[in-house]
Amino acid sequence: MSTVLYDTPGPRGILRNRILTFVFAAALLAGLYFAYLKFDEKGQFDAALWEPFLQGDVWVNLIIPGLLNTLSAAAVAALIAVPFGFVFGIARLSEHKWIRVPAGAVVEFFRAIPLLIMIFFAQYGGSAVLGLTVTSFTAVVFGLVLYNGSVLAEIVRAGIQSLPRGQTEAALAVGLRKGQVMRLILLPQAVTAMMPAIVSQLIVLLKDTALGFIVAFEDLLNAGARILPANFRNLIPAVIVVAIIYIIINVLVGLLANWLERRSRRSRKTTIKPVEAPQSVGVG
């Protein structure tokens, strides 16, 4: 169907699209075949390298525990980061400067710091500065919460600001207080618009748990890229298997998110379009 930005192609357009599709598909297949030849040339498809993945103890003692640690860190971080994002996102919309400015400073500060630095700081700074013993799990969760929570705060702010201003004015006109307007009118609609961006950020959070590899966090990547190769000398096959597991998890999370979004839109009958977090926003 024709849209504002796209017209239904005619016979020439259809032919051109089919030719381009064929060319790109052929190029992709050629690239995959070239990669297969190189892997085969280096013996990466030898049965001995893949045999460990047919052993139950490898999955029970290494891969599954690593996967559970990854999911645990992601779940704990998400449970904290989402409320963090909502609190600071709403605070950035406050009419009170003493709330808005500090909230903006916190969000922009933690968005600007690389996640890996925050994990390092939690792991080693906690003991050096505060004299605390910080586990790798705690360090990973600490970094994930601060970074992804700050990004989620921008998503929340963008979602609320995407709503028509007339809704706020109408709610205030009928006597609702500002807190009631936010809780009863704006947030229920904004959550539906924010859902794709929030879930996308949670997928990023899940993948970012792999940075715990640098502080010896016993996650899925650690099991696949450090422990397995040290025992079986199969780095490439192990990393491929770990990557496939990550892909499966993220696809399942994406499908769940799509289902939640469709259900939310049907229940709320909203026409607000999905939003994305702004790339850079000031603290004022």
Side-chain angles (χ1 to χ4, degrees), residues 27-85:
L28 177 61
L29 291 175
L32 292 175
Y33 182 67
F34 177 78
Y36 168 80
L37 291 179
K38 288 299 181 181
F39 274 62
D40 187 58
E41 179 183 331
K42 300 297 182 179
Q44 294 298 329
F45 294 117
D46 291 348
L49 297 179
W50 296 87
E51 185 177 354
F53 300 106
L54 301 178
Q55 301 175 11
D57 59 335
V58 170
W59 288 88
V60 173
N61 298 325
L62 291 177
I63 297 179
I64 293 179
L67 175 60
L68 292 177
N69 286 338
T70 292
L71 295 177
S72 298
V76 172
L79 288 175
I80 303 174
V82 171
F84 179 101

Side-chain angles (χ1 to χ4, degrees), residues 59-257:
W59 288 88
V60 173
N61 298 325
L62 291 177
I63 297 179
I64 293 179
L67 175 60
L68 292 177
N69 286 338
T70 292
L71 295 177
S72 298
V76 172
L79 288 175
I80 303 174
V82 171
F84 179 101
F86 272 86
V87 169
F88 279 87
I90 294 173
R92 295 202 66 178
L93 296 172
S94 174
E95 295 182 353
H96 303 288
K97 194 172 183 179
W98 62 273
I99 296 177
R100 184 178 69 252
V101 173
V106 169
V107 169
E108 292 298 331
F109 179 77
F110 288 117
R111 283 178 66 200
I113 298 179
L115 175 56
L116 191 57
I117 291 180
M118 287 190 278
I119 294 175
F120 266 123
F121 177 80
Q123 178 81 48
Y124 303 109
S127 59
V129 177
L130 302 176
L132 300 176
T133 300
V134 181
T135 64
S136 57
F137 178 89
T138 303
V140 171
V141 171
F142 176 84
L144 291 174
V145 168
L146 292 181
Y147 177 76
N148 291 282
S150 298
V151 176
L152 287 170
E154 287 302 282
I155 293 174
V156 170
R157 186 172 78 155
I160 294 174
Q161 289 182 327
S162 70
L163 299 174
R165 186 174 181 82
Q167 296 196 26
T168 301
E169 296 171 349
L172 292 174
V174 298
L176 293 180
R177 295 189 297 272
K178 294 179 180 178
Q180 292 177 314
V181 174
M182 179 65 69
R183 187 177 71 255
L184 301 177
I185 305 297
L186 301 181
L187 275 181
Q189 297 181 74
V191 166
T192 300
M194 293 185 295
M195 185 65 70
I198 290 176
V199 173
S200 296
Q201 192 60 38
L202 292 180
I203 291 176
V204 171
L205 183 151
L206 174 62
K207 293 188 292 185
D208 283 347
T209 58
L211 292 176
F213 178 88
I214 204 68
V215 291
F217 178 49
E218 297 179 354
D219 65 338
L220 180 59
L221 182 62
N222 184 73
R226 178 175 289 167
I227 300 177
L228 272 170
N231 289 277
F232 300 101
R233 300 182 182 276
N234 61 343
L235 176 61
I236 300 301
V239 171
I240 291 175
V241 171
V242 167
I244 292 173
I245 295 175
Y246 272 112
I247 291 171
I248 292 173
I249 295 173
N250 289 327
V251 168
L252 292 177
V253 172
L255 292 175
L256 175 62

